[in-house]
Amino acid sequence: MLISRKEDFTRAFVQHMLAYALGRKLDYYDAKTVREITAQVAQDDYKFSRVVMEIAKAIRFGIGG
């Protein structure tokens, strides 16, 4: 089932990982960041390492405040 819904799973996973990394619940203004990270991960064949890298980049550059 997860394989057939990779993008849905990835978006949910990114949301959870980003919330953990930020130490807070996500808000409406985080939706764009989640979409961007999910798209980048999809382009890299859904690699876990890409999730971690994109979240780190987002936090480093002040996204998700």
Side-chain angles (χ1 to χ4, degrees), residues 10 36-47 50 54:
T10 303
E36 291 172 352
I37 292 172
T38 301
Q40 291 296 324
V41 172
Q43 288 180 356
D44 200 14
D45 201 27
Y46 298 95
K47 292 179 182 171
R50 188 64 183 251
E54 292 299 324

Side-chain angles (χ1 to χ4, degrees), residues 10-53:
T10 303
R11 183 176 35 257
F13 185 72
V14 166
Q15 289 172 335
H16 288 284
M17 291 291 290
L18 185 59
Y20 181 78
L22 293 171
R24 62 169 175 81
K25 292 183 180 182
L26 299 184
D27 211 334
Y28 70 92
Y29 49 81
D30 296 309
K32 180 181 177 196
T33 301
V34 171
R35 283 192 307 271
E36 291 172 352
I37 292 172
T38 301
Q40 291 296 324
V41 172
Q43 288 180 356
D44 200 14
D45 201 27
Y46 298 95
K47 292 179 182 171
F48 174 77
S49 59
R50 188 64 183 251
V51 174
V52 174
M53 184 174 65

